[in-house]
Every structure is written in structure tokens, then in C-alpha cells.
Amino acid sequence: MIEMDRRINLTGLSQAELISFVEEIGEPAYRGRQIFAALHHRRLQSFDEMTDLPKALRERLNETATASTLTVESRYLSEDGTRRFLMKTYDNLPVETVFIPEEHRDTICFSSQSGCPLQCTFCLTAQLGLLRSLTPGEIVEQIVIALNDVYGVGVATPRGTNLVGMGAGEPFLNFDSLMKAVRIMADPQGLFIVPHRVTVSTAGVVPRIRELATIPDRPNLAISLAAPTNDLRDELMPINRKWPLEELLAACKDFQATLKAGERFTFEYVMLDGVNDSDEHARQLANLLNRHDLHARVNLIPHNPADPLPYQPSPATRVEMFKSILESKGFRAFVRRPRGRDIFAACGQLAAVRQHVGLRAI
Ligand code: SAH
């Protein structure tokens, strides 16, 4: 259970848990359903706004519980419409969320941890280290805050929302909280964002990939590769020393065997100029995936640069060549368009950056 000043955060409870909570304080079950809808469907962040609850109950709730533990510290608007939210937890740790408008629907990129314990050399978040894992309520509230900011409190989202767990942190090192948040957000009486609309990305925590393979209502899976050999991957993503490519790809193959119609499974490959982007690397990657009988599509992500990182993005022609080599070997490869680079909102740029020259706060 999540506490703030010893108060329980109701945003992190499932509808069933919320019903038990109100029954424990002597209220009828329907009050639990009412509060759940107020938090997740109407997206209210305080009990005082729930004017359909008796005043005495609202006061009681204010004493024992909370509806919100995150505060927005700053917001940044990119020239491409992307919004980055820099939030703070009750214990003053940074949480970042990115809203990305797209042609057909919107995507919200949420964080699973404040900071990150992995030491990927191309990612700015690594420089924060792990501050702590986020609670289910803190994961859900990021989505509530982003939707309210963009559409207005409680206003229906006209184009539907996809979620990606690709913000700060390693989601699979916070697996239980992540999965609980996914279940809460799927509730038709709440946000109603079904797991099918959610993608979580892992740097390769093998036991949790295997666990996800056994879960029926699960989010889509993406695996960050970044290198086709253990030597290079050890260097770029030190987690590879714990779970090297053979183990990771064996787990991926078993996962692939459990895929159901409509589920998406992808690999991500950040393109670092002169480091992992040669024709030879492309051939090695294709051979590696072939050897493990893996057919998932490969998303190529041009590196998003940041001052303290020692890399440059691969030139567009290099990315295209890499892509065509993968395609010639039978793989589906896509180049991901960077979004929100100007406001430090792109992949690997979330590091609580506040004062950057020309950053447009809104
Ligand atoms: N820890 C998880 C989720 C966060 S990273 C994971 O590793 O998958 C989300 C994606 O951003 C990963 O695929 C990662 O490889 C990519 N990424 C990290 N830093 C980047 C950068 N500077 N430029 C482009 N992509 C980056």
C-alpha cells in the first residue's frame, strides 16, 4: 500500500480494492465504485471536487487517504506538438511523462522509475542513477495528468490513447507495480486503456520476459537491443553481462511462441553514428535474429543526442542502408521519427532537464 503522510493513495487501488477500502471505513460498496470512477473516468485529483460524495465522507477521505501524490513542476511544448511534463513525487523525486500527438491517435510515454539503475551509455536517464521505483498510483497518475492537461479534466479523449512504458526507468525491474497499473488503467469504468494499447520496453530482464509470457491480459512487448554482438552490447548496455544475447533471445523466442493475434512484439535498435550502424552490424543483427528464429519487426531509433553523451545520431543515409540490409534478409524494419527532441522529451533524453537554452515552457 502506498502512503503519503501515512495516507493511502487511492489512485493505486483496483476497483475491487477500493470497494474493500470503503467497506472497511463503514461505507457501502457503491461508494467505492463512485470514487473509482471519479479518479479514473472523471480524472479528478482531489476528494473536494467529488461533490457527489457527502461532505462528511470527503472530510473522512482527506484525513485517511489521498487522490493525488504527483505535482507538475514544469511543462515544455515542442514545435512538433509533443509535451513533456516534469513532475515531482511527494518525496521530491523527478518523474517525467511525454505526450506525443500522432496522426491517428495520441501516445503517452510514461516512466516506471524515478531515474534508472541501468547504465546504458547512450541514455541520459542513466546519469541520474536509480532514485526509486514508482508505485502503481504514481504510474497511473502520470496518464491522468497528461490527459487532463491536453484535453481538460475528465474530457473524453477524442482519438484514443496508446501508452508506452519507454520513459525513465526499467519497467521490468518494477514489474508488479507496472502490471498493477496496467490492470487499473484497463478497467472499463476508469481510464479504459486496454493492455492491447500499451507497450512496455525492456533492456532485457530475462526472468520477467518469461513471466510476461505466462500472463493472459498483457501489454505488448518491445526489447531494446542496440547491438548485435555480446562484446558491443556489454559495452553499450551493461545489463548484457547479466543476461547475454543468447539468453535474452532464447527468452524472446519462447515469448514469440505465446503471441496471440493482434499482439505486437518488436525490437528496438538505437542507431549510434560509427558505433553500431555499419553494414556488417546490420548483417550480424539479421543473422542473430534468424539463428534464434525471431520474426519481430525492428524499430530503428536514430540516437537522440544530449550534451553529456558521447554519441551522434547515424546519418539518414546510413539508417536507410541499415534498414534495407535487414529488409533484404526478410525482416520488417522501420525508422522511428524522433519527437520532441527540442524540449528534451525524446527517447533517452529524460533526465529532469529544467534550464536549457531556448526551452519553451508553457
Ligand atoms: N529501460 C527500458 C525503457 C526505457 S528506454 C528499455 O531499455 O527498453 C526506451 C528506448 O529508448 C529504448 O529502446 C532505448 O534503447 C532507447 N534510447 C535510450 N537512449 C536513447 C537515445 N539517447 N537516443 C535514442 N534512443 C534511446
Side-chain angles (χ1 to χ4, degrees):
M1 294 259 161
I2 309 102
E3 289 183 343
M4 175 191 144
D5 315 330
R6 309 254 151 246
R7 292 185 300 174
I8 174 170
N9 180 6
L10 300 192
T11 307
L13 300 188
S14 67
Q15 189 164 186
E17 287 171 334
L18 199 36
I19 291 169
S20 310
F21 170 80
V22 296
E23 285 175 340
E24 272 166 36
I25 60 168
E27 295 286 332
Y30 76 89
R31 291 288 184 211
R33 285 191 283 276
Q34 206 176 356
I35 296 168
F36 187 86
L39 291 170
H40 302 281
H41 185 71
R42 299 165 66 200
R43 303 198 301 263
L44 301 179
Q45 292 185 273
S46 77
F47 301 124
D48 295 335
E49 292 166 281
M50 301 179 191
T51 49
D52 50 340
L53 298 178
K55 193 149 184 286
L57 175 56
R58 278 183 268 151
E59 279 166 11
R60 181 92 190 272
L61 288 172
N62 277 327
E63 282 160 22
T64 54
T66 174
S68 163
T69 63
L70 295 178
T71 47
V72 178
E73 184 163 274
S74 36
R75 304 180 301 159
Y76 302 95
L77 177 63
S78 163
E79 51 200 24
D80 70 15
T82 298
R83 296 185 196 202
R84 177 165 71 99
F85 300 86
L86 176 53
M87 308 175 189
K88 277 261 182 308
T89 60
Y90 72 91
D91 50 349
N92 229 16
L93 301 174
V95 175
E96 284 172 276
T97 311
V98 181
F99 178 90
I100 309 154
E102 277 163 317
E103 210 179 315
H104 297 295
R105 60 179 61 244
D106 303 316
T107 299
I108 296 173
C109 177
F110 65 87
S111 296
S112 53
Q113 299 182 309
S114 181
C116 184
L118 305 183
Q119 302 272 301
C120 303
T121 55
F122 48 83
C123 180
L124 203 58
T125 309
Q127 308 203 348
L128 292 175
L130 177 64
L131 301 166
R132 73 166 163 81
S133 282
L134 300 180
T135 62
E138 288 166 336
I139 294 174
V140 174
E141 198 180 344
Q142 293 175 60
I143 291 35
V144 168
I145 287 175
L147 290 176
N148 282 348
D149 186 73
V150 175
Y151 293 111
V153 176
V155 178
T157 54
R159 290 148 16 116
T161 311
N162 286 337
L163 302 183
V164 293
M166 297 187 186
E170 169 48 48
F172 280 11
L173 293 179
N174 190 20
F175 192 78
D176 293 345
S177 295
L178 170 81
M179 293 306 289
K180 180 156 186 206
V182 167
R183 285 194 302 274
I184 293 171
M185 293 190 289
D187 193 316
Q189 266 94 54
L191 284 167
F192 199 15
I193 302 174
V194 295
H196 177 69
R197 293 257 158 248
V198 183
T199 299
V200 289
S201 177
T202 179
V205 180
V206 166
R208 298 290 84 79
I209 296 169
R210 295 198 172 280
E211 186 173 349
L212 193 71
T214 68
I215 296 177
D217 272 326
R218 62 189 176 194
N220 299 297
L221 179 62
I223 307 279
S224 300
L225 281 181
T229 61
N230 280 322
D231 277 354
L232 185 56
R233 199 164 187 271
D234 279 350
E235 202 182 297
L236 299 177
M237 300 180 70
I239 192 177
N240 195 65
R241 296 178 203 149
K242 183 151 188 186
W243 291 292
L245 280 168
E246 298 68 45
E247 271 182 56
L248 172 59
L249 297 181
C252 288
K253 186 177 173 187
D254 293 344
F255 183 83
Q256 178 176 266
T258 71
L259 281 174
K260 296 187 288 283
E263 286 187 321
R264 278 165 301 169
F265 181 36
T266 45
F267 291 107
E268 294 159 279
Y269 193 96
V270 56
M271 303 275 307
L272 309 168
D273 184 27
V275 174
N276 65 353
D277 63 349
S278 70
D279 291 357
E280 179 61 12
H281 289 126
R283 284 190 291 270
Q284 286 174 331
L285 179 60
N287 292 340
L288 180 72
L289 296 179
N290 266 329
R291 237 184 3 260
H292 289 85
D293 206 17
L294 288 162
H295 316 295
R297 68 181 239 177
V298 181
N299 281 342
L300 302 173
I301 317 176
H303 175 64
N304 295 307
D307 253 351
L309 300 176
Y311 304 104
Q312 289 304 314
S314 307
T317 49
R318 185 88 303 271
V319 178
E320 282 308 311
M321 182 55 103
F322 199 95
K323 175 173 181 264
S324 64
I325 293 173
L326 290 177
E327 284 170 342
S328 74
K329 299 209 173 246
F331 290 93
R332 288 164 301 146
F334 292 81
V335 180
R336 206 196 278 159
R337 189 162 51 107
R339 299 294 301 268
R341 264 187 187 170
D342 56 334
I343 54 162
F344 275 67
C347 293
Q349 291 187 319
L350 301 183
V353 174
R354 211 164 295 130
Q355 268 124 16
H356 244 271
V357 191
L359 218 52
R360 237 172 101 201
I362 50 176

